Amino acid sequence: DIQMTQSPSSLSASVGDRVTITCQASQDISNYLNWYQQKPGKAPKLLIYDASNLETGVPSRFSGSGSGTDFTFTISSLQPEDIATYYCQQYDNLLFTFGQGTRLEIK
Amino acid sequence: QITLKESGPTLVKPTQTLTLTCTFSGFSLSTSGVGVGWIRQPPGKALEWLALIYWDDDKRYSPSLKSRLTITKDTSKNQVVLTMTNMDPVDTATYYCAHRSQSDYYFDYWGQGTLVTVSS
């Protein structure tokens, strides 16, 4: 089974900061890597699919990159409404796996 | 407009079998490429994928829980049912159902989730 290592597990940043989260797969997963945002008490929301594609309606300050085993999720300018937990999710060999999550807080 | 909603018991006893139903609208599970999955989240912990059923009745399960899970669909009722046997307190979680993108491998629509507590 493919393991996903997401880091950091928590992050504190100021409004306007550039924020980066990484996800590493234990094997090559091509670009089958997606990113979700989850706010407290809510269901996850898809932000980025296939490593770098912005879901419709998602602000352009969110972006993703990478392929193979190493992936990066970036918020170019942190906004107060971005406070949430972020998860990566991979697909390989007919199975799905989520990362452990990154809790993002405002400094 | 795609919507999904989970239903089932909020409390189950250890060793019992959990049955959850996902009732959806805005798509058909008889359409090629469509899938519905189940994902859970223990309080304060990460998301965990459990199972997924495809339009052609192909079924996939998390390897760590495969022996305890069964996923089925009722296309005429627009429902997907997940059963999990031998429930334990560690299975206490919010259970979500979600629509798998028709042509890709992500979940683009989610239900609101239902909290299931396992306790005697």
Side-chain angles (χ1 to χ4, degrees), chain B residues 59-75:
Chain B
K59 302 165 186 177
R60 302 294 165 176
Y61 298 99
S62 166
S64 62
L65 292 167
K66 184 174 183 177
S67 63
R68 299 173 53 205
L69 296 173
T70 302
I71 190 169
T72 60
K73 63 182 176 71
D74 186 329
T75 304

Side-chain angles (χ1 to χ4, degrees), chain B residues 6-59:
Chain B
E6 307 87 352
S7 59
T10 58
L11 179 66
V12 298
K13 290 180 167 51
T15 76
Q16 287 187 335
T17 294
L18 171 68
T19 299
L20 294 173
T21 300
C22 176
T23 303
F24 57 86
S25 63
F27 67 95
S28 171
L29 244 183
S30 60
T31 300
S32 178
V34 173
V36 172
W38 285 93
I39 300 101
R40 72 177 179 179
Q41 184 174 39
K45 296 189 177 181
L47 300 166
E48 179 184 21
W49 173 72
L50 301 177
L52 190 140
I53 189 165
Y54 291 95
W55 82 101
D56 60 357
D57 210 37
D58 186 20
K59 302 165 186 177

Side-chain angles (χ1 to χ4, degrees), chain A residues 24-90:
Chain A
Q24 186 173 58
S26 57
Q27 300 175 36
D28 188 336
I29 57 170
S30 184
N31 68 335
Y32 290 124
L33 193 286
N34 311 302
W35 293 95
Y36 300 83
Q37 175 192 66
Q38 187 181 32
K39 295 186 176 181
K42 300 295 186 181
K45 174 187 175 183
L46 177 70
L47 299 181
I48 303 287
Y49 64 93
D50 293 349
S52 60
N53 294 293
L54 194 67
E55 174 71 340
T56 302
V58 174
S60 59
R61 64 179 180 275
F62 296 100
S63 65
S65 64
S67 67
T69 60
D70 295 300
F71 301 87
T72 300
F73 172 80
T74 300
I75 306 173
S76 60
S77 178
L78 185 66
Q79 299 302 303
E81 60 266 31
D82 300 336
I83 297 314
T85 300
Y86 293 84
Y87 293 93
C88 61
Q89 172 251 311
Q90 71 86 25

